[in-house]
Amino acid sequence: MSRTLSILCIILPVSMAYANGSPELQNAPSREERMEWWRQARFGMFVHWGLYSGLAGTWEGKPVGTRGGMEWIQQRVKADTDTYAKHAVPLFKPKADFARAWARLAKHAGCRYVVFTTKHHEGFALHDSNVSNFDAGSVLGRDLVKEIVDALRAEGLRVGFYHSVIDWHHDQYAYASSQQLPHPLHGKPYPNGTRDHAKYVEFLHEQVDELMSNYGPIDIMWWDYSAVDFQGNEAWRASDLMGAVRAKQPNIIMNNRLFRSPEAGFSGMGPAAITRQLDPIYGDFITPEQHIPATGIPGVDWETCMTMNTTWGYSDHDHAWKSNETLIRNLIDIASKGGNYLLNIGPTSDGSIPKPSVDAMHAIGEWMRIHGESIYATTASPFQELPWGRCTQKKLDNGETRLYLHVFDWPADGKLLVPFVLEGPSEAILLTTGEKLDLATGPEQVTIFVPQQAPNQAASVIAIDTDPMHAGPVGNK
Ligand code: FHN
């Protein structure tokens, strides 16, 4: 190796480590190491809970709406922060042990991680902050973040912090800097004269430092959100913020929402505006919202976040709940495309979980108790598409590949046709019941002979072990 090249091989990693904010990062785990547990987890629970949960979609006695995010109620009624706080603070009454119910529900559903709002756009922090008086410590005398983190850890769940960079409370947050980011006072002059956004950004960094310093190992930082016209280093000193987080939490993974550019996985505004790329300097995974990318995003880590009805924060007026079957099939569809599912619950003012959400998570948990191996630690389907369902796959220790065939539409004639060439002996197991199934192989497909009735209405799963040397999909990807 030339002298120049050998010097570069020494300088470059060190400079990159320092660029990440601290020499300790020279020994930090690689991105692959940091992402491994998350890629295997496949399923997490999202929680939106804040002052808006007490308002529950109602303002001055009238429903604000029956659809859309009621965590945005301050924006929807155009209330300044003092008016908003006067209405909302008295209604927010966290009960004791609320967090244990969240953690137990996530565990029961088969979630491996929970991401919850430490601060949403309203600006109210759920931790006991030393740099604010608009926080649970100052207002309630409680550290709700600590209560939640302790409960999650007691159930063996990984901990994720959602943190809004948008802030509708802070009096230095310069909302006129962006025409695309929401603010209740948008279009009106700053009520306090001038604003120095740099002071808000300093506050943002200080609160994030509190969160990274005071609650033990944090697994995920879930930023939210930037605009094409206001993002990244200009808006949030984003690279410094990520570097500071990594310096305190070297194992942490972060999403891409401090930025809004094609290289960061965004093709514009709107929850579906994503590109199929992510430069790791902008985050570790991209975040399609309320939809599942049609063909996944090969080669990029991605997570679909989704509500069970149409609002992230609780609303008394939104009853548009997705069916349990839809939610189970979404999880399967996402895993079959190599992604993660972050499914949201919106607890009420005292932290109680709406019954439809509890029922849905229990239904998912029942399905996962039998079929979880077909989701956890799997990778995307080897098939272009399957008319009757989806497929995930897993490498086995013996070098074979286990295919998990998730059957949504059960064949009426008892023959499941799989566009797959299979040589040598193999057997199919109906995972749902444990029974063995006969199969017949042919030049274009495998026929699996299945019982008359589907054993599971949402999705029955058939596992088939194959030797990759002598088997493969017909019409490969
Ligand atoms: O504005 C927020 C919204 O309230 C919610 O938190 C979602 C969750 O991904 N993120 C933003 C909209 O993209």
Side-chain angles (χ1 to χ4, degrees), residues 126-249:
L126 297 193
H127 73 288
D128 183 5
S129 176
N130 293 321
V131 295
S132 166
N133 58 12
F134 197 53
D135 67 292
S138 307
V139 172
L140 301 169
R142 288 170 68 174
D143 187 328
L144 299 173
V145 166
K146 183 175 185 325
E147 293 180 39
I148 299 165
V149 168
D150 290 349
L152 297 181
R153 292 205 177 113
E155 296 294 335
L157 294 160
R158 296 266 186 164
V159 175
F161 288 167
Y162 164 112
H163 199 73
S164 173
V165 289
I166 296 169
D167 193 303
W168 297 340
H169 170 78
H170 200 279
D171 66 7
Q172 296 304 312
Y173 178 86
Y175 54 81
S177 304
S178 170
Q179 295 312 308
Q180 296 171 327
L181 290 180
H183 193 284
L185 305 183
H186 225 299
K188 293 179 182 170
Y190 295 136
N192 52 329
T194 59
R195 291 192 169 190
D196 178 355
H197 191 72
K199 287 183 180 163
Y200 165 68
V201 174
E202 186 54 33
F203 162 81
L204 167 68
H205 284 233
E206 287 169 347
Q207 273 202 329
V208 169
D209 184 63
E210 291 178 327
L211 291 168
M212 292 298 103
S213 304
N214 303 336
Y215 301 93
I218 304 304
D219 299 290
I220 302 166
M221 197 68 206
W222 214 99
W223 307 109
D224 203 23
Y225 67 89
S226 294
V228 173
D229 72 353
F230 198 55
Q231 58 151 319
N233 293 321
E234 179 203 14
W236 326 113
R237 286 197 289 114
S239 300
D240 291 347
L241 189 55
M242 291 177 76
V245 165
R246 290 206 195 285
K248 285 279 172 74
Q249 299 280 348

Side-chain angles (χ1 to χ4, degrees), residues 46 48 71-72 120-121 162 222 224-225 257 289 305 312:
F46 212 173
H48 277 68
E71 70 289 348
W72 275 46
H120 204 264
H121 308 337
Y162 164 112
W222 214 99
D224 203 23
Y225 67 89
R257 293 193 175 194
E289 179 171 312
C305 56
W312 302 94

Side-chain angles (χ1 to χ4, degrees), residues 11-154:
I11 292 174
L12 202 56
V14 172
S15 56
M16 283 175 71
Y18 278 94
N20 278 315
S22 100
E24 288 73 46
L25 282 178
Q26 292 174 48
N27 305 317
S30 69
R31 179 168 173 275
E32 291 303 302
E33 288 165 331
R34 291 187 289 110
M35 292 302 291
E36 188 178 354
W37 74 264
W38 185 87
R39 290 170 178 158
Q40 295 196 3
R42 285 285 174 255
F43 184 31
M45 184 168 87
F46 212 173
V47 186
H48 277 68
W49 191 53
L51 297 182
Y52 45 80
S53 308
L55 292 167
T58 300
W59 185 258
E60 295 177 339
K62 298 194 187 80
V64 169
T66 58
R67 296 287 181 276
M70 282 305 158
E71 70 289 348
W72 275 46
I73 190 167
Q74 184 184 349
Q75 159 79 0
R76 292 179 70 157
V77 300
K78 304 283 181 245
D80 65 68
T81 189
D82 293 338
T83 303
Y84 177 72
K86 281 197 190 82
H87 282 72
V89 167
L91 300 174
F92 186 61
K93 301 173 183 166
K95 63 186 178 184
D97 282 350
F98 71 90
R100 286 176 58 190
W102 296 7
R104 287 177 176 162
L105 184 66
K107 182 82 174 182
H108 186 93
C111 298
R112 290 286 166 83
Y113 59 101
V114 173
V115 179
F116 67 94
T117 48
T118 54
K119 181 192 83 164
H120 204 264
H121 308 337
E122 65 183 10
F124 185 77
L126 297 193
H127 73 288
D128 183 5
S129 176
N130 293 321
V131 295
S132 166
N133 58 12
F134 197 53
D135 67 292
S138 307
V139 172
L140 301 169
R142 288 170 68 174
D143 187 328
L144 299 173
V145 166
K146 183 175 185 325
E147 293 180 39
I148 299 165
V149 168
D150 290 349
L152 297 181
R153 292 205 177 113

